[in-house]
């Protein structure tokens, strides 16, 4: 494994991160397709043996059991000093007041809960899980800065927001001499390239490393178009997946998937390896977050690091892309509903319910 720096920091990370949304007790909450502890531990150990040192989870995943399972496995199998442990907060962990969001109270409370569940005394990368339109951004940023200064957090990250919001946050952090965001976790893959318009140029200019969620487009880039929805996650999250990759772009998406297949066949590698190699060709991408549910998927992700696509192959993969609806940077329910209402087959209620339940 050849380790790289996260953005412009001095932090060494593997260029593949393991997404721990796959690990958890399904009965405790979304996702229903999580694996349970025994199988999760096997995959975590396999990833470590492959040289992967970067693991990303969130407090909301299986209502905290993802953090618990990941923490126990890393204590048993890994050297804490060599591991980069990332988690996130914002979404509801309980009903009632102060059960969600990015207020000072919520940040301090949820940080302590995550530390307890993970069984560690600090978190390497603490990320806000989208924005919180109901809390002043200065309150959020100062609380995050205080968490760093208290020694409970090493680095700060953000995820899925509008570029102007991220730019404002970075400006405020610089203005107040607060600890800055060093990473942006965003939705970026061959079927979702809207981030190239504003967010990616901003991150390149500011030296921010991006961590990509859904790098294989919910499995659509890992198999033929006719089998696009064969994955367990694709079936259980079908409505949310169809909102990410809508029928309005189906013709272009199919051509992209076919191009991935043609290059994979020509190189005698898997489709997933080609899709991940395309991401690695982008300087802004520090690591895709791979939600592996098998050792084979981890091996394919690691093998993708040996593939350098030619300029002709990259052009063939990118040429069919067409502009599409983009809601990933929106956190307010009303705005999400307005965007989703433009998508055939969705209602306002569908949009709010699905996006609210299926945050990544």
């Amino acid at each position: 494994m050849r380790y790289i720096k996260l953005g412009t920091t001095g932090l060494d990370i593997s260029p593949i991160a393991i997404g721990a949304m796959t690990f958890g007790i399904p009965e405790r909450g979304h996702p229903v397709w999580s694996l349970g502890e025994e199988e999760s531990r096997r995959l975590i150990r396999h990833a470590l043996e492959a040289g992967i040192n970067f693991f990303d989870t969130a407090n909301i995943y299986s209502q905290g059991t993802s953090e618990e399972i990941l923490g126990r496995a890393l204590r048993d199998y890994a050297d804490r000093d060599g591991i980069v442990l990332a988690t996130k907060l914002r979404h509801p962990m309980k009903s009632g007041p102060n059960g969600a969001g990015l207020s000072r109270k919520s940040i301090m409370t949820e940080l302590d809960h995550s530390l307890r569940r993970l069984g560690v005394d600090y978190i390497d990368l603490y990320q806000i899980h989208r924005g919180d339109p109901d809390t002043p951004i200065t309150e959020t940023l100062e609380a995050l800065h205080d968490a760093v200064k208290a020694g409970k957090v090493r680095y700060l990250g953000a995820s899925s927001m509008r570029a102007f919001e991220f730019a404002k946050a970075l400006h405020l952090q610089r203005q107040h001499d607060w600890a800055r965001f060093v990473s942006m976790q965003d939705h970026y893959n061959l079927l979702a390239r809207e981030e190239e318009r504003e967010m990616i140029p901003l991150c390149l200019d500011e030296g921010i490393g991006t961590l990509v969620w859904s790098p294989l487009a919910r499995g659509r880039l890992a198999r033929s178009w006719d089998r696009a929805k064969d994955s367990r996650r694709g079936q259980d999250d079908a409505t949310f997946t169809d909102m990410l990759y809508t029928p309005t772009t189906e013709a272009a998406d199919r051509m992209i998937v076919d191009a991935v297949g043609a290059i994979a066949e020509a190189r005698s590698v898997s489709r997933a390896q080609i899709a991940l190699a395309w991401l690695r060709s982008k300087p802004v991408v520090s690591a895709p977050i791979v939600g592996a549910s098998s050792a084979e998927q981890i091996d394919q992700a690691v093998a993708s690091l040996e593939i350098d696509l030619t300029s002709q192959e990259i052009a063939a993969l990118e040429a069919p892309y067409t502009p599409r609806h983009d809601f990933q940077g929106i956190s307010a329910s009303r705005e999400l509903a307005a965007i989703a209402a433009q998508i055939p087959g969705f209602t306002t209620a569908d949009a709010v319910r699905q996006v609210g339940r299926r945050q990544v």
Side-chain angles (χ1 to χ4, degrees):
M1 182 65 66
R2 294 188 294 274
Y3 299 95
I4 62 171
K5 302 297 184 182
L6 174 56
T8 52
T9 74
L11 184 65
D12 293 325
I13 62 168
S14 53
I16 297 289
I18 294 296
M21 193 176 188
T22 308
F23 313 142
I25 300 174
E27 296 78 15
R28 287 280 294 276
H30 181 75
V32 298
W33 38 262
S34 57
L35 296 178
E37 184 153 11
E38 184 177 350
E39 194 169 357
S40 296
R41 286 173 64 88
R42 284 198 295 268
L43 293 179
I44 294 166
R45 186 169 190 172
H46 187 80
L48 290 165
E49 291 171 348
I52 294 172
N53 78 331
F54 194 5
F55 295 83
D56 175 78
T57 186
N59 60 353
I60 190 66
Y61 296 164
S62 299
Q63 283 295 300
T65 60
S66 172
E67 290 183 327
E68 292 170 355
I69 290 171
L70 180 61
R72 284 193 289 266
L74 292 178
R75 284 198 302 277
D76 289 344
Y77 302 141
D79 170 17
R80 176 66 183 96
D81 293 340
I83 292 299
V84 175
L85 186 54
T87 192
K88 303 182 286 291
L89 86 155
R90 178 215 180 227
H91 297 299
M93 290 299 290
K94 64 182 181 66
S95 59
N98 299 308
L102 297 174
S103 68
R104 171 174 285 274
K105 180 178 178 64
S106 292
I107 288 171
M108 297 306 180
T109 299
E110 291 305 324
L111 173 56
D112 285 343
H113 288 328
S114 286
L115 289 169
R116 173 181 51 79
R117 285 190 294 262
L118 289 163
V120 296
D121 54 11
Y122 69 92
I123 290 166
D124 294 292
L125 181 64
Y126 200 43
Q127 304 158 103
I128 58 172
H129 210 167
R130 297 179 181 262
D132 177 5
D134 298 320
T135 298
I137 184 63
T138 50
E139 177 180 342
T140 297
L141 297 178
E142 187 175 20
L144 291 170
H145 170 77
D146 290 345
V148 173
K149 292 305 176 184
K152 296 181 178 182
V153 172
R154 297 295 187 257
Y155 299 91
L156 299 174
S159 69
S160 292
M161 61 178 63
R162 287 169 164 169
F164 87 87
E165 293 172 326
F166 192 43
K168 180 179 179 180
L170 292 171
H171 169 74
L172 288 169
Q173 288 170 327
R174 182 181 291 115
Q175 179 184 34
H176 292 280
D177 199 25
W178 290 333
R180 298 188 80 218
F181 291 124
V182 303
S183 64
M184 164 55 63
Q185 189 171 144
D186 62 349
H187 181 219
Y188 185 48
N189 59 55
L190 279 164
L191 302 186
R193 292 171 48 204
E194 299 307 296
E195 292 288 81
E196 293 176 354
R197 303 181 188 280
E198 295 184 359
M199 182 60 81
I200 286 177
L202 171 63
C203 290
L204 285 169
D205 185 64
E206 292 283 351
I208 304 296
T210 64
L211 309 172
V212 177
W213 60 264
S214 199
L216 298 179
R218 290 299 202 272
R220 294 188 177 207
L221 293 169
R223 51 182 61 85
S224 67
W225 184 260
D226 293 337
R227 297 180 54 238
K229 300 180 182 180
D230 280 0
S231 70
R232 172 77 187 278
R233 183 171 188 178
Q235 294 168 2
D236 291 333
D237 277 354
T239 305
F240 185 54
T241 300
D242 287 342
M243 191 172 173
L244 290 173
Y245 313 109
T246 75
T248 60
T249 61
E250 185 171 314
D253 290 353
R254 182 165 193 153
M255 286 190 286
I256 294 168
V257 170
D258 288 347
V260 172
I263 294 171
E265 184 176 1
R267 283 178 169 264
S268 298
V269 298
S270 71
R271 291 170 180 256
Q273 288 171 256
I274 296 301
L276 293 173
W278 177 81
L279 282 172
R280 196 170 65 83
S281 75
K282 306 302 178 183
V284 74
V285 176
S286 292
I289 300 171
V290 177
S293 57
S294 69
E296 180 185 9
Q297 290 172 346
I298 294 173
D299 293 340
Q300 288 184 9
V302 173
S304 74
L305 300 174
E306 302 302 320
I307 298 175
D308 291 316
L309 297 174
T310 67
S311 58
Q312 293 80 10
E313 289 171 327
I314 292 173
L317 292 169
E318 294 180 352
Y321 186 83
T322 56
R324 57 217 45 217
H325 296 287
D326 180 36
F327 71 90
Q328 70 146 328
I330 313 299
S331 297
S333 296
R334 183 179 299 178
E335 293 182 76
L336 286 167
I339 292 174
Q342 303 174 50
I343 302 173
F346 282 89
T347 67
T348 299
D350 286 335
V352 175
R353 181 172 60 253
Q354 289 300 326
V355 175
R357 290 178 57 206
R358 307 298 193 191
Q359 297 288 4
V360 295

